[in-house]
Amino acid sequence: MPDLRPRFDELLRRLGEISDVEHAEAILTWDQETGMPPLGAPARAEQLGALARIAHELGTAPELGSLLEELRELEQSSDRESFEASVIRVTRHDYEKKLRIPSELRAEMTRAASVGYAAWLQARDAVDYEIFRPHLERRLALTSEYVACFAPFDDPYDVLLDDHEPGMSTADVAAIFERLKAELVPLVAGLGEPVDDSCLHGYFSPARQREFSLEVLSRWGMDDQAWRLDDTVHPFATNGSITDIRLTTQFHDDQLVGILSCLHEFGHGIYERQVDARYERTPLAEGVSSSFHESQSRLWENIVGRSLSTWRFFYPRLQECFPERLAEVPLEEFHRALNRVAPGLRRVDADEVTYPLHIILRFELERDMLAGAVTPSDLPEAFDAKLRDYLGVEPRNVLDGVLQDVHWSDSSFGYFPSYALGNVISVQLWERATSELGNLEEEFERGEFGPLREWLREHVHRWGRTFKPPELLERAVGGPLDAEPYVAYLRAKVEALEAA
Ligand code: ZN
């Protein structure tokens, strides 16, 4: 075999350049949603469009294709889990996929996303869906063009799902969701009076919330050398590299949800932060799928962040931050309020039990829109009807309904299922971690979160995109995707609340 090392180094050089452009794009998007003045939007849309086009051109260059051909031998003679074989395999997968999409279409989708986001903000300010509707129509048309690039397929939604959940079919997702719906719709309909959560409402200084959140996150593993936290409208996490993690949140002065969204975004951040440093500037340096990403955010936000043991450690400090609100509130009351279950209108405020139903209705609507069964004009009414049917709630206006999520303005369709699939995976990982590590709750009570974080590094984070999601799950938990542990977890949660 000829010495292929120089050719592999050439591959790494090219991949590094692509990664640089993509991360520049990520940081410009972060800036757009954190600090950019509104009139920066049109120019920013052009800038993001230009970077997306450059990344696409670099990622589909014929030279990259011939390098991948030359390196087949190296890939086949290396151990499948090795850095070399994994980089070549994952690059080939991405390359073949990108080749299908014309770079003009890619740039147009990015531009439309940026303009769509600005229109979504305007429509929300004006409480007027009609401002947003033409942008949704445009995005839907572009999505159909995109899907057509991958013909033939069994289900058009498979194409979108594959961008977020490689190795999973729409039929798999629909089956898991049918199981959840059958369980949760009656469970939610049968809920008793919700617990009193008035202790979570009232004036909470945003500056203090920020200070407290940073204390929790630094206990969990955040540091100011590699992380930062900023304000935005719709919280998200992104990164400029493995050592540059950007979390965002929104602190409201009348409730504490901004703290919980910090805990959520931390889960995303720690995943990217704990990818093997050797993968930097390669396509391996990223979470393997959206559902795995959401499994991390949900695990830290819900399983850790709403546990009584965690708050045994943090609650005294929270009381110190907000003595006028919480000094007289016992820990158990605060904890029950934090775990309150009650059907509501907004997905991002939803509790753990009703949350999957918000996702399932969006998944169904996306499939219907893609099939033409629901048009953007029908969408507000179709959205409200499902809120009524699954959750028994009635929106007052489009802010509560169809305009509540950012996703249909600036991201691709096909992302929502990942949130609920992430919940399913999070409970599978938690069960496995506790079976191997013993009683983690005792650790949390002492403020020790390192053992869980390190277990996740070892079994999930460090691998980046080395394995496809089903294989990574199999290796981490010893089985396939399974809704049952999650269903049992939710049932136990409701029973505990009703018993209290
Ligand atoms: Zn998330």
Side-chain angles (χ1 to χ4, degrees), residues 351-364:
D351 58 73
E352 288 180 82
V353 178
T354 55
Y355 189 86
L357 294 172
H358 287 276
I359 296 306
I360 293 168
L361 78 86
R362 285 158 175 80
F363 166 72
E364 293 174 347

Side-chain angles (χ1 to χ4, degrees), residues 165 168 172-173 175-181 184 290-299 302-303 352 355-356 359-360 416-432 473 477 479-490:
E165 303 302 331
M168 186 167 279
D172 295 336
V173 175
I176 294 262
F177 283 2
E178 283 306 317
R179 173 76 186 101
L180 292 178
K181 205 160 85 174
L184 297 181
S290 307
S291 66
F292 258 96
H293 244 295
E294 288 303 325
S295 76
Q296 300 310 294
S297 54
R298 295 278 148 189
L299 200 160
N302 292 333
I303 301 180
E352 288 180 82
Y355 189 86
I359 296 306
I360 293 168
F416 278 119
S418 307
Y419 289 115
L421 299 173
N423 283 333
V424 170
I425 295 172
S426 73
V427 180
Q428 288 187 271
L429 289 172
W430 170 251
E431 287 202 341
R432 184 60 177 235
L473 187 66
V477 308
L481 192 68
D482 179 7
E484 298 315 316
Y486 179 52
V487 165
Y489 165 85
L490 292 181

Side-chain angles (χ1 to χ4, degrees), residues 256-273:
L256 294 172
V257 293
I259 293 177
L260 288 163
S261 82
C262 286
L263 309 187
H264 177 98
E265 300 309 335
F266 169 82
H268 289 303
I270 195 70
Y271 192 175
E272 297 292 328
R273 180 71 187 92

